[in-house]
Amino acid sequence: MTKIAKIIVDIPLMQTDKPFSYEVPEHLLDLVQVGVRVHVPFGKGNRLLQGFVVGLEDADAADLKPIREFLDFEPVLNAEQLLLADQMRHTVFSYKISILKAMLPGLLNSKYDKEFHPLASLSDEERQLYFPKNSPLLASELREELSLKMAELLKAGKVEQVYLAKDRQTIKTQKHYDVNLQLLETLEIAGRAKKRLEMRAWLLENSQSGLLKDLQALYGREVIKFFEDAGALNIREVEVSRAHAYFKDVKSSNFLQLNEEQAAVVEQVTAAIGQASKPFLLEGVTGSGKTEVYLHIIDKVLQQGKTAIVLVPEISLTPQMTNRFISRFGEQVAIMHSGLSDGEKFDEWRKVKSGQAKVVVGARSAIFAPLENIGAIIIDEEHEATYKQESNPRYHARDVAQLRADYHKAVLVMGSATPSIESRARASREVYQFLQLTKRANPNAKIPEVEILDFRDYIGQQEAGNFTPPLLEAIEERLAKKEQVVLMLNRRGFSSFVMCRDCGFVDDCPNCDISLTLHMDTKTMNCHYCGFQKGIPRNCPNCQSPSIRYYGTGTQKAYDELAEIFPQARILRMDVDTTRQKGAHEKLLTKFGNHEADILLGTQMIAKGLDFPNVTLVGVLNADTSLNLPDFRSSERTFQLLTQVAGRAGRADKPGQVYIQTYNPDHYAIQLAKAQDYEAFYQYEMSIRRQLGYPPYYFTVGLTLSHSSEEIAVQKSYEVMGLLRQGLTDKVKLLGPTPKPIARTHNLYHYQILVKYRFEDHLEESLNRILDWTQEKDNQKVRVIIDHEPQNLM
Ligand code: ADP
Ligand code: ZN
Ligand code: ZN
């Protein structure tokens, strides 16, 4: 009998989307566990790949290849995560390996620069040398050796670029010293050794332990070495968390006394911790104190010895937000978001894995945080599209949350002022439990008044293109009262571009069917899809005319207009250009929070989560741009955005006013945003969805096929349509194939097919069949995306 390991290897292909059997060699028997990473030889060339052990059995092994080495001492994936991957595989149409990798910090996943792993270039003799057979390998030593070897290969030019294990995985440490008092006091030091005497006196007086580098700064290495050699000073290496900076300077804060509505919600939710319960949908108007509710729920969870995950949209993960959690729960909190370096992410992950962190606050992928014994999962701003991952594996954090909540009997709470239509509908059908907060938590804060300004009423009277006279007047008033103003420019589906006034030429990306966006800060024209960049033309590239004009209401232009009209005002601009640098986003917010500026002018990124008491005016410069996009969710998105941004006004004692400028004042999304009536919007939108047969009345799957030849893209799309027709019942509606609204990007033509269904037994099977189809020889050049419940039809 031999020990056999079932291993999922790191090749995202249909043929490899199942565990392969490998023999566990004798000398590695002690190391094998389910959930550890391994290197295994694979395929004809026996190239080495990373893989995960997903199962073990005893059997007679005939001709199985042996595992080459283990990368972990402790499993990096636990049983729950392996189960989760199995469950996700049914609705997320990407391979198991992609799902498993998504659960881990990037540092633990192999990256293959070329087609194969650099280690594959080791000869067997070399391997013998570096991984001697009979010694059980220490994972860290292994990595050390590997990195040396790889450095050597790199130098010899045998591989082009390798990610050195050492660079990638290193755990950051700091040296600490501890004083051995007895030895220090009795140590003999000659009278002329002034420095040594000084250092001893200093240590006795000031410090029994501390950071070695502080001591070095004072007395230098040699003096320290003297004490170390004498045994009076012990030096040890301590692991440091790179994300530690978060926790510095955050003052602790107390729980607020909940109002009646809040208390009722907390009571109902916490009663369900540890019970199998339906998810909760918490609909709470902006400023109703949802975050305070979350904090109380988590407190209860921790009291029960359990743990919690809080998901927040990436853009809302500001220090202002995270500090609310850190100030209550201190070092028990781990923060996970994409702004962290790989090393920091790895540190946070280990903090969670080791049980040190009990509350994870993070963006979408934090849903995979390796917490045990989860008591609550909270999804704030549950309607946000960012909870859906837009690359493989295309999972929705909400679905993963539900699976994890079921496993742990944890409560799942989804909160929003403007829940997604789907979630709200589920609450109607009692699939979710419906909870509401109808009032602002601060009794003096009122829901702001919203007024609509029809651009068309002011044609010819406008001083500046982006601003109607009433809005300018309102701004002036606030400036006089030393109150603050937030202005939002809705840039979805909209950007500045260059057009020739003589021939009408628009400067498009050569690779994509979309105009290039003007960036004044870098003085370039950029494509937001493929990254193409060029200088700003002085003359029309088409007719050479010099009357080329810059169009569009970019934030830069609005900024210039404002600065001209209100030269005394201090204006901050917040958009992709001004927040490119790490930390820039929070610097701007801090500045505004400290009232070092009067006006915050920005894109969508200012709409969320900001809680500044002195803001009494919010202006939306252009409500329309997101309204007319070819996507059935465009009204929903517009309504959500307007409600969110309106919610930034009047959050404390001073009343708030909101102006929305638009060309479509009668559109229901704008009218109902004015009324701040989510429930009415929900009803109306549902009637439209029913008429048109869109979610939540139907489920959808989007398929996108891309190819550099438009002809082939079309032809293959019809082929896939045919396969779907064959496999699916007549109840299913198939739409398309149609070109995507942006028909070409990266020099690829995109066609889409939309599958609409209510119940369909053959769906999974049919879609897996399409996955198989993509592997066929003739189809390998076609890029196929299968997206379950696509959030974005552009
Ligand atoms: P939401 O997340 O629903 O927009 P927040 O949790 O940010 O609302 O709360 C809005 C404001 O009300 C915050 O300044 C918060 O400190 C305050 N707040 C919340 N709950 C209470 C309460 N029970 N009593 C007093 N103030 C509260
Ligand atoms: Zn492009
Ligand atoms: Zn021209």
mmCIF file of all heavy atoms in Angstrom, residues 178-207:
data_model
loop_
_atom_site.group_PDB
_atom_site.id
_atom_site.type_symbol
_atom_site.label_atom_id
_atom_site.label_comp_id
_atom_site.label_asym_id
_atom_site.label_seq_id
_atom_site.Cartn_x
_atom_site.Cartn_y
_atom_site.Cartn_z
ATOM 1 N N ASP A 178 16.929 42.238 24.411
ATOM 2 C CA ASP A 178 16.456 42.115 25.779
ATOM 3 C C ASP A 178 17.685 42.128 26.666
ATOM 4 O O ASP A 178 18.700 41.523 26.363
ATOM 5 C CB ASP A 178 15.725 40.789 25.991
ATOM 6 C CG ASP A 178 14.516 40.680 25.089
ATOM 7 O OD1 ASP A 178 13.572 41.464 25.275
ATOM 8 O OD2 ASP A 178 14.531 39.820 24.176
ATOM 9 N N VAL A 179 17.556 42.816 27.789
ATOM 10 C CA VAL A 179 18.677 42.941 28.708
ATOM 11 C C VAL A 179 18.651 41.797 29.710
ATOM 12 O O VAL A 179 17.599 41.418 30.206
ATOM 13 C CB VAL A 179 18.573 44.287 29.450
ATOM 14 C CG1 VAL A 179 19.537 44.344 30.622
ATOM 15 C CG2 VAL A 179 18.810 45.431 28.476
ATOM 16 N N ASN A 180 19.802 41.215 29.964
ATOM 17 C CA ASN A 180 19.932 40.286 31.087
ATOM 18 C C ASN A 180 20.478 41.102 32.253
ATOM 19 O O ASN A 180 21.664 41.388 32.350
ATOM 20 C CB ASN A 180 20.886 39.157 30.703
ATOM 21 C CG ASN A 180 21.024 38.141 31.823
ATOM 22 O OD1 ASN A 180 20.886 38.479 33.007
ATOM 23 N ND2 ASN A 180 21.287 36.912 31.448
ATOM 24 N N LEU A 181 19.562 41.488 33.128
ATOM 25 C CA LEU A 181 19.891 42.489 34.140
ATOM 26 C C LEU A 181 21.065 42.100 35.018
ATOM 27 O O LEU A 181 21.994 42.885 35.249
ATOM 28 C CB LEU A 181 18.674 42.725 35.038
ATOM 29 C CG LEU A 181 17.904 44.024 34.808
ATOM 30 C CD1 LEU A 181 16.870 44.198 35.883
ATOM 31 C CD2 LEU A 181 18.848 45.228 34.753
ATOM 32 N N GLN A 182 21.010 40.855 35.490
ATOM 33 C CA GLN A 182 22.034 40.423 36.411
ATOM 34 C C GLN A 182 23.419 40.524 35.793
ATOM 35 O O GLN A 182 24.335 41.083 36.373
ATOM 36 C CB GLN A 182 21.749 38.991 36.831
ATOM 37 C CG GLN A 182 22.156 38.753 38.257
ATOM 38 C CD GLN A 182 21.898 37.316 38.638
ATOM 39 O OE1 GLN A 182 21.325 36.533 37.874
ATOM 40 N NE2 GLN A 182 22.336 36.961 39.832
ATOM 41 N N LEU A 183 23.505 40.009 34.594
ATOM 42 C CA LEU A 183 24.792 40.049 33.905
ATOM 43 C C LEU A 183 25.223 41.491 33.610
ATOM 44 O O LEU A 183 26.401 41.843 33.733
ATOM 45 C CB LEU A 183 24.718 39.273 32.602
ATOM 46 C CG LEU A 183 24.950 37.768 32.738
ATOM 47 C CD1 LEU A 183 24.757 37.070 31.404
ATOM 48 C CD2 LEU A 183 26.373 37.513 33.267
ATOM 49 N N LEU A 184 24.255 42.287 33.247
ATOM 50 C CA LEU A 184 24.574 43.655 32.872
ATOM 51 C C LEU A 184 25.136 44.423 34.070
ATOM 52 O O LEU A 184 26.147 45.122 33.982
ATOM 53 C CB LEU A 184 23.323 44.364 32.343
ATOM 54 C CG LEU A 184 23.532 45.782 31.823
ATOM 55 C CD1 LEU A 184 24.365 45.774 30.551
ATOM 56 C CD2 LEU A 184 22.187 46.469 31.549
ATOM 57 N N GLU A 185 24.486 44.223 35.191
ATOM 58 C CA GLU A 185 24.915 44.963 36.385
ATOM 59 C C GLU A 185 26.298 44.540 36.852
ATOM 60 O O GLU A 185 27.077 45.347 37.320
ATOM 61 C CB GLU A 185 23.895 44.748 37.514
ATOM 62 C CG GLU A 185 22.708 45.674 37.385
ATOM 63 C CD GLU A 185 21.583 45.329 38.360
ATOM 64 O OE1 GLU A 185 21.571 44.199 38.902
ATOM 65 O OE2 GLU A 185 20.720 46.197 38.553
ATOM 66 N N THR A 186 26.585 43.237 36.717
ATOM 67 C CA THR A 186 27.832 42.736 37.274
ATOM 68 C C THR A 186 28.968 42.701 36.267
ATOM 69 O O THR A 186 30.087 42.363 36.601
ATOM 70 C CB THR A 186 27.624 41.312 37.826
ATOM 71 O OG1 THR A 186 27.106 40.517 36.755
ATOM 72 C CG2 THR A 186 26.654 41.321 38.988
ATOM 73 N N LEU A 187 28.634 43.043 35.040
ATOM 74 C CA LEU A 187 29.646 42.969 33.988
ATOM 75 C C LEU A 187 30.794 43.947 34.280
ATOM 76 O O LEU A 187 30.578 45.096 34.637
ATOM 77 C CB LEU A 187 28.977 43.326 32.652
ATOM 78 C CG LEU A 187 29.796 43.115 31.390
ATOM 79 C CD1 LEU A 187 30.134 41.644 31.199
ATOM 80 C CD2 LEU A 187 28.992 43.617 30.197
ATOM 81 N N GLU A 188 32.007 43.434 34.113
ATOM 82 C CA GLU A 188 33.147 44.327 34.364
ATOM 83 C C GLU A 188 33.455 45.152 33.134
ATOM 84 O O GLU A 188 33.608 44.621 32.040
ATOM 85 C CB GLU A 188 34.364 43.486 34.727
ATOM 86 C CG GLU A 188 34.403 43.238 36.224
ATOM 87 C CD GLU A 188 35.726 42.638 36.633
ATOM 88 O OE1 GLU A 188 36.776 43.150 36.184
ATOM 89 O OE2 GLU A 188 35.685 41.639 37.385
ATOM 90 N N ILE A 189 33.567 46.432 33.323
ATOM 91 C CA ILE A 189 33.882 47.312 32.203
ATOM 92 C C ILE A 189 35.018 48.242 32.641
ATOM 93 O O ILE A 189 34.947 48.832 33.727
ATOM 94 C CB ILE A 189 32.661 48.168 31.793
ATOM 95 C CG1 ILE A 189 31.483 47.253 31.390
ATOM 96 C CG2 ILE A 189 33.020 49.109 30.655
ATOM 97 C CD1 ILE A 189 30.213 47.979 31.058
ATOM 98 N N ALA A 190 36.034 48.322 31.811
ATOM 99 C CA ALA A 190 37.170 49.174 32.165
ATOM 100 C C ALA A 190 36.734 50.641 32.199
ATOM 101 O O ALA A 190 35.869 51.060 31.430
ATOM 102 C CB ALA A 190 38.283 48.997 31.139
ATOM 103 N N GLY A 191 37.368 51.399 33.092
ATOM 104 C CA GLY A 191 36.983 52.797 33.294
ATOM 105 C C GLY A 191 37.154 53.674 32.068
ATOM 106 O O GLY A 191 36.448 54.659 31.906
ATOM 107 N N ARG A 192 38.107 53.262 31.164
ATOM 108 C CA ARG A 192 38.307 54.132 30.005
ATOM 109 C C ARG A 192 37.345 53.805 28.866
ATOM 110 O O ARG A 192 37.279 54.537 27.890
ATOM 111 C CB ARG A 192 39.769 54.038 29.536
ATOM 112 C CG ARG A 192 40.130 52.684 29.033
ATOM 113 C CD ARG A 192 41.623 52.482 28.926
ATOM 114 N NE ARG A 192 41.919 51.071 29.130
ATOM 115 C CZ ARG A 192 41.667 50.126 28.227
ATOM 116 N NH1 ARG A 192 41.149 50.420 27.076
ATOM 117 N NH2 ARG A 192 41.973 48.859 28.498
ATOM 118 N N ALA A 193 36.597 52.703 29.001
ATOM 119 C CA ALA A 193 35.639 52.363 27.930
ATOM 120 C C ALA A 193 34.367 53.186 28.124
ATOM 121 O O ALA A 193 33.335 52.698 28.549
ATOM 122 C CB ALA A 193 35.342 50.861 27.936
ATOM 123 N N LYS A 194 34.493 54.456 27.774
ATOM 124 C CA LYS A 194 33.421 55.418 28.066
ATOM 125 C C LYS A 194 32.077 55.013 27.456
ATOM 126 O O LYS A 194 31.044 55.063 28.107
ATOM 127 C CB LYS A 194 33.822 56.792 27.494
ATOM 128 C CG LYS A 194 34.935 57.467 28.278
ATOM 129 C CD LYS A 194 34.393 58.684 29.013
ATOM 130 C CE LYS A 194 35.368 59.192 30.069
ATOM 131 N NZ LYS A 194 36.742 59.465 29.535
ATOM 132 N N LYS A 195 32.141 54.633 26.192
ATOM 133 C CA LYS A 195 30.893 54.319 25.482
ATOM 134 C C LYS A 195 30.167 53.157 26.147
ATOM 135 O O LYS A 195 28.952 53.150 26.265
ATOM 136 C CB LYS A 195 31.189 53.978 24.011
ATOM 137 C CG LYS A 195 31.326 55.217 23.153
ATOM 138 C CD LYS A 195 30.352 55.120 21.992
ATOM 139 C CE LYS A 195 29.964 56.489 21.473
ATOM 140 N NZ LYS A 195 28.978 56.485 20.436
ATOM 141 N N ARG A 196 30.960 52.155 26.538
ATOM 142 C CA ARG A 196 30.339 50.983 27.154
ATOM 143 C C ARG A 196 29.682 51.360 28.470
ATOM 144 O O ARG A 196 28.591 50.907 28.790
ATOM 145 C CB ARG A 196 31.394 49.898 27.397
ATOM 146 C CG ARG A 196 31.897 49.304 26.097
ATOM 147 C CD ARG A 196 32.979 48.274 26.345
ATOM 148 N NE ARG A 196 33.562 47.848 25.069
ATOM 149 C CZ ARG A 196 34.604 47.023 24.976
ATOM 150 N NH1 ARG A 196 35.177 46.533 26.081
ATOM 151 N NH2 ARG A 196 35.065 46.687 23.795
ATOM 152 N N LEU A 197 30.366 52.189 29.208
ATOM 153 C CA LEU A 197 29.801 52.620 30.497
ATOM 154 C C LEU A 197 28.511 53.416 30.273
ATOM 155 O O LEU A 197 27.506 53.226 30.956
ATOM 156 C CB LEU A 197 30.815 53.480 31.256
ATOM 157 C CG LEU A 197 32.006 52.698 31.814
ATOM 158 C CD1 LEU A 197 33.107 53.637 32.293
ATOM 159 C CD2 LEU A 197 31.568 51.747 32.925
ATOM 160 N N GLU A 198 28.587 54.265 29.266
ATOM 161 C CA GLU A 198 27.398 55.079 28.943
ATOM 162 C C GLU A 198 26.207 54.201 28.566
ATOM 163 O O GLU A 198 25.087 54.419 29.023
ATOM 164 C CB GLU A 198 27.695 55.967 27.720
ATOM 165 C CG GLU A 198 28.106 57.378 28.042
ATOM 166 C CD GLU A 198 28.460 58.127 26.757
ATOM 167 O OE1 GLU A 198 27.663 58.060 25.797
ATOM 168 O OE2 GLU A 198 29.567 58.722 26.706
ATOM 169 N N MET A 199 26.527 53.213 27.735
ATOM 170 C CA MET A 199 25.421 52.379 27.259
ATOM 171 C C MET A 199 24.818 51.590 28.409
ATOM 172 O O MET A 199 23.599 51.455 28.507
ATOM 173 C CB MET A 199 25.901 51.438 26.160
ATOM 174 C CG MET A 199 24.792 50.519 25.693
ATOM 175 S SD MET A 199 25.124 49.754 24.101
ATOM 176 C CE MET A 199 24.318 48.187 24.348
ATOM 177 N N ARG A 200 25.678 51.072 29.288
ATOM 178 C CA ARG A 200 25.141 50.324 30.415
ATOM 179 C C ARG A 200 24.235 51.223 31.258
ATOM 180 O O ARG A 200 23.138 50.853 31.640
ATOM 181 C CB ARG A 200 26.257 49.765 31.287
ATOM 182 C CG ARG A 200 25.666 49.209 32.610
ATOM 183 C CD ARG A 200 26.499 48.181 33.248
ATOM 184 N NE ARG A 200 27.703 48.758 33.838
ATOM 185 C CZ ARG A 200 28.639 48.017 34.414
ATOM 186 N NH1 ARG A 200 28.518 46.703 34.465
ATOM 187 N NH2 ARG A 200 29.713 48.599 34.914
ATOM 188 N N ALA A 201 24.730 52.425 31.531
ATOM 189 C CA ALA A 201 23.952 53.354 32.347
ATOM 190 C C ALA A 201 22.607 53.641 31.685
ATOM 191 O O ALA A 201 21.554 53.647 32.329
ATOM 192 C CB ALA A 201 24.723 54.655 32.531
ATOM 193 N N TRP A 202 22.691 53.808 30.365
ATOM 194 C CA TRP A 202 21.451 54.135 29.637
ATOM 195 C C TRP A 202 20.447 52.987 29.715
ATOM 196 O O TRP A 202 19.270 53.179 29.978
ATOM 197 C CB TRP A 202 21.802 54.436 28.184
ATOM 198 C CG TRP A 202 20.627 54.941 27.383
ATOM 199 C CD1 TRP A 202 20.206 56.237 27.283
ATOM 200 C CD2 TRP A 202 19.721 54.156 26.599
ATOM 201 N NE1 TRP A 202 19.093 56.309 26.483
ATOM 202 C CE2 TRP A 202 18.767 55.041 26.038
ATOM 203 C CE3 TRP A 202 19.629 52.781 26.306
ATOM 204 C CZ2 TRP A 202 17.733 54.603 25.230
ATOM 205 C CZ3 TRP A 202 18.598 52.360 25.483
ATOM 206 C CH2 TRP A 202 17.669 53.256 24.947
ATOM 207 N N LEU A 203 20.989 51.757 29.520
ATOM 208 C CA LEU A 203 20.098 50.592 29.550
ATOM 209 C C LEU A 203 19.469 50.437 30.933
ATOM 210 O O LEU A 203 18.273 50.182 31.069
ATOM 211 C CB LEU A 203 20.875 49.325 29.189
ATOM 212 C CG LEU A 203 21.186 49.112 27.708
ATOM 213 C CD1 LEU A 203 22.100 47.908 27.534
ATOM 214 C CD2 LEU A 203 19.901 48.917 26.902
ATOM 215 N N LEU A 204 20.299 50.589 31.959
ATOM 216 C CA LEU A 204 19.783 50.407 33.322
ATOM 217 C C LEU A 204 18.726 51.457 33.640
ATOM 218 O O LEU A 204 17.726 51.181 34.277
ATOM 219 C CB LEU A 204 20.916 50.481 34.342
ATOM 220 C CG LEU A 204 21.868 49.284 34.303
ATOM 221 C CD1 LEU A 204 23.074 49.514 35.206
ATOM 222 C CD2 LEU A 204 21.142 48.004 34.679
ATOM 223 N N GLU A 205 18.975 52.629 33.113
ATOM 224 C CA GLU A 205 18.072 53.741 33.393
ATOM 225 C C GLU A 205 16.782 53.644 32.580
ATOM 226 O O GLU A 205 15.684 53.841 33.094
ATOM 227 C CB GLU A 205 18.789 55.042 33.017
ATOM 228 C CG GLU A 205 17.939 56.286 33.189
ATOM 229 C CD GLU A 205 18.329 57.044 34.449
ATOM 230 O OE1 GLU A 205 19.049 56.483 35.298
ATOM 231 O OE2 GLU A 205 17.920 58.194 34.563
ATOM 232 N N ASN A 206 16.951 53.371 31.296
ATOM 233 C CA ASN A 206 15.839 53.589 30.375
ATOM 234 C C ASN A 206 15.097 52.362 29.873
ATOM 235 O O ASN A 206 13.909 52.423 29.631
ATOM 236 C CB ASN A 206 16.325 54.325 29.116
ATOM 237 C CG ASN A 206 16.791 55.712 29.457
ATOM 238 O OD1 ASN A 206 16.035 56.517 29.938
ATOM 239 N ND2 ASN A 206 18.079 55.953 29.243
ATOM 240 N N SER A 207 15.816 51.283 29.674
ATOM 241 C CA SER A 207 15.172 50.301 28.813
ATOM 242 C C SER A 207 15.693 48.897 29.068
ATOM 243 O O SER A 207 16.884 48.661 29.120
ATOM 244 C CB SER A 207 15.430 50.723 27.365
ATOM 245 O OG SER A 207 15.370 49.646 26.518
#
